[in-house]
Amino acid sequence: MKVIIATKNEGKVREFQELLKPYGFEPVSMTEAGVDIEIIEDGETFEENAHIKAKAVRAATGLPVIADDSGLEVEFLGGAPGIYSARYAGENATDKERNEKLLEEMYGVDRPLRGARFVCAIYFILDDKREYCVTGTLEGYIGDEPVGDGGFGYDPIFMLEDDRSLAELDESEKNEISHRANAMRKLAEELSAEK
């Protein structure tokens, strides 16, 4: 079954393609589906923003849609950048600039106060009667400097409990433990409970 991934972020598209294949879906990006609409994410939570995206792409295509809203919550910053993770260093900032801004704000903060978690809310509209919303997380902490060449976004400064950054994992390792993978497992449980 063809499912549109409601994002223009190529990193997310790749992750979703890998995560959805085992469930028998044929994931296609908005670009591949010819969907070029501007979506205003004005929700106050990850879940609300995922719902907004899924509804907009569903209305434009009539096809099943999976959308996520995800970001980084840092304890010391009161949960920031949160839903503003992608725009944290300005509207058109690069991943590098966002990481630099966050590291600057965390400068001199001791390890016990550097706790952080990635959050991913997935909203899946399968058809007119079936919609699902699940949330997955990944716990870690903010490192002192970027480490690793993989991943995207905040991966180089997000450290796991074994002191490796998310950017040091290969794609299959990351797809086993990521916040998106954890949300996908919850979604799979909900889908299989319906069968």
Side-chain angles (χ1 to χ4, degrees):
M1 175 191 302
K2 191 177 280 193
V3 177
I4 298 178
I5 306 165
T7 186
K8 293 178 182 171
N9 178 319
E10 289 305 314
K12 279 188 187 182
V13 168
R14 279 194 308 278
E15 275 189 22
F16 265 121
Q17 286 171 332
E18 285 303 308
L19 292 168
L20 285 167
K21 276 180 194 163
Y23 302 106
F25 294 112
E26 183 192 331
V28 296
S29 69
M30 284 173 62
T31 307
E32 291 170 316
V35 180
D36 188 20
I37 56 174
E38 196 60 40
I39 302 170
I40 309 297
E41 297 174 43
D42 55 2
E44 294 183 11
T45 64
F46 292 114
E47 291 80 5
E48 285 177 21
N49 282 332
H51 183 224
I52 289 166
K53 286 189 257 193
K55 261 191 353 190
V57 175
R58 171 81 175 166
T61 65
L63 294 170
V65 177
I66 193 161
D68 91 315
D69 194 46
S70 51
L72 178 66
E73 295 179 336
V74 180
E75 289 170 28
F76 184 78
L77 301 177
I83 61 170
Y84 305 105
S85 294
R87 301 177 293 284
Y88 194 52
E91 198 59 47
N92 297 307
T94 63
D95 287 347
K96 184 175 187 280
E97 290 165 336
R98 283 187 285 276
N99 286 327
E100 286 170 354
K101 177 178 170 62
L102 189 59
L103 288 175
E104 205 173 281
E105 292 187 349
M106 297 297 290
Y107 183 76
V109 175
D110 292 331
R111 164 80 193 270
L113 301 174
R114 297 178 81 90
R117 69 182 190 153
F118 272 122
V119 179
C120 173
I122 292 178
Y123 203 94
F124 184 33
I125 302 177
L126 190 54
D127 54 38
D128 291 337
K129 292 189 172 91
R130 294 178 293 174
E131 297 185 13
Y132 307 87
C133 185
V134 294
T135 303
T137 60
L138 176 64
E139 302 293 327
Y141 67 96
I142 301 302
D144 295 317
E145 61 185 11
V147 182
D149 300 320
F152 61 95
Y154 295 98
D155 290 0
I157 61 172
F158 186 86
M159 307 299 289
L160 301 166
E161 293 309 317
D162 65 4
D163 297 325
R164 290 185 301 163
S165 81
L166 212 47
E168 289 181 284
L169 306 185
D170 66 37
E171 211 165 294
S172 62
E173 274 184 295
K174 181 181 174 182
N175 286 342
E176 279 294 308
I177 64 163
S178 77
H179 50 308
R180 200 162 286 112
N182 290 331
M184 279 300 303
R185 272 190 281 279
K186 289 183 182 179
L187 179 60
E189 284 167 19
E190 289 207 18
L191 291 170
S192 61
E194 274 205 4
K195 287 184 177 176

